[in-house]
């Protein structure tokens, strides 16, 4: 499972570190702390002209409602509680400043990445899964390619011509990794961001990979 994930995603880290992180995550999820409140609505930023960029610090009046895209029932409530617990575990273990879980979701506007749970500043809830949007978004690029992207210095990456979707200008490093279903198809992504460079070493990536391996079994049903 671990070796298969690393091969499919192209992420480089130690399988033994992932195994350890996965055991710690499972122990956490099975403990009293392993359930967090389900969050069904959250604040989101205004979008700029054309809807491509978030206007950082400018929030929409109305919150985003998850139940517009997934059923608000007991089964999904329990699954969202687990996803929010995984967010807590990852943030506690890695000290990243922002972390989010997104699932590939069919919407009236086409297939998009839907943000299910997160920690950090308000951010965009949906990313169109299109080749055009992939040109400016690591999230979409990873979802379409099924390959992880680790940027340990955003400024250097952009200076070299890399595509980058800026939500919070304080972000200096980012790791975006795919999640897979049982037939090795990409079913969503996780996104981790930090306000310092060089944070995504083997140890931190191992925790993120462990999350990617476990999250798919807790994705809500539409």
């Amino acid at each position: 499972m671990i070796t298969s994930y690393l091969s499919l995603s192209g992420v480089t880290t130690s399988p033994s570190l992932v195994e350890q992180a996965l055991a710690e995550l499972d122990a956490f999820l099975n403990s009293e702390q392993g359930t967090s409140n389900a969050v069904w609505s959250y604040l989101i930023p205004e979008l700029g002209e054309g809807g491509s960029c978030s206007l950082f610090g400018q929030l929409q009046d109305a919150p985003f409602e998850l139940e517009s895209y997934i059923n608000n029932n007991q089964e999904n409530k329990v699954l969202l509680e687990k996803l929010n617990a995984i967010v807590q575990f990852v943030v506690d273990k890695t000290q990243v400043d922002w972390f989010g879980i997104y699932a590939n979701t069919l919407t009236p506007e086409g297939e998009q990445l839907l943000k299910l749970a997160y920690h950090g500043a308000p951010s965009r809830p949906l990313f169109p899964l299109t080749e055009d949007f992939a040109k400016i978004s690591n999230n979409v690029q990873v979802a379409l390619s099924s390959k992880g992207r680790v940027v340990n210095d955003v400024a250097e990456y952009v200076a070299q011509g890399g595509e980058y979707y800026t939500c919070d200008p304080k972000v200096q490093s980012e790791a975006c990794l795919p999640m897979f279903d049982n037939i090795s198809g990409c079913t969503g992504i996780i996104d981790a961001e930090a306000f310092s460079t060089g944070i995504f070493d083997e140890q931190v990536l191992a925790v993120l990979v462990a999350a990617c391996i476990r999250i798919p079994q807790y994705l809500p049903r539409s």
Side-chain angles (χ1 to χ4, degrees):
M1 177 173 56
I2 293 172
T3 301
S4 175
Y5 178 88
L6 295 177
S7 176
L8 286 169
S9 68
V11 176
T12 301
T13 189
S14 164
S16 62
L17 288 177
V18 177
E19 184 176 10
Q20 177 183 343
L22 194 55
E24 292 176 356
L25 174 56
D26 287 341
F28 175 79
L29 291 174
N30 289 323
S31 71
E32 292 182 1
Q33 293 77 36
T35 298
S36 187
N37 291 334
V39 178
W40 285 96
S41 66
Y42 47 79
L43 295 175
I44 58 174
E46 294 280 3
L47 296 181
E49 185 176 354
S52 61
C53 294
S54 297
L55 300 178
F56 184 70
Q58 299 184 40
L59 299 180
Q60 295 186 24
D61 292 333
F64 181 79
E65 302 292 345
L66 269 181
E67 62 184 311
S68 297
Y69 297 88
I70 59 174
N71 292 326
N72 187 345
N73 54 34
Q74 182 60 28
E75 179 186 13
N76 283 341
K77 174 180 177 292
V78 171
L79 293 171
L80 279 180
E81 288 172 348
K82 288 298 184 183
L83 291 184
N84 278 279
I86 291 173
V87 169
Q88 178 187 337
F89 174 86
V90 169
V91 171
D92 288 346
K93 283 289 184 181
T94 66
Q95 301 300 302
V96 293
D97 296 286
W98 200 95
F99 180 73
I101 297 171
Y102 300 77
N104 293 10
T105 304
L106 187 60
T107 76
E109 293 75 32
E111 192 172 22
Q112 302 194 66
L113 286 171
L114 170 66
K115 187 173 67 178
L116 297 172
Y118 77 103
H119 163 88
S123 65
R124 169 184 203 114
L126 293 162
F127 286 84
L129 285 171
T130 65
E131 293 292 345
D132 282 344
F133 211 91
K135 295 174 183 177
I136 61 168
S137 169
N138 272 338
N139 288 2
V140 176
Q141 179 63 239
V142 168
L144 294 181
S145 69
S146 298
K147 299 297 181 183
R149 307 197 88 179
V150 180
V151 180
N152 264 314
D153 190 327
V154 169
E156 180 182 358
Y157 176 74
V158 172
Q160 293 176 353
E163 66 281 341
Y164 194 75
Y165 179 92
T166 299
C167 177
D168 188 338
K170 296 191 294 297
V171 173
Q172 296 186 46
S173 56
E174 178 182 23
C176 187
L177 308 185
M179 302 182 298
F180 300 109
D181 57 23
N182 291 332
I183 56 174
S184 302
C186 184
T187 191
I189 61 108
I190 63 166
D191 185 32
E193 299 174 347
F195 298 160
S196 57
T197 59
I199 188 174
F200 296 107
D201 57 17
E202 274 200 314
Q203 194 84 39
V204 170
L205 286 174
V207 174
L208 298 182
V209 168
C212 286
I213 290 172
R214 192 55 72 231
I215 288 169
Q217 74 184 60
Y218 297 113
L219 292 178
R221 324 295 186 222
S222 58

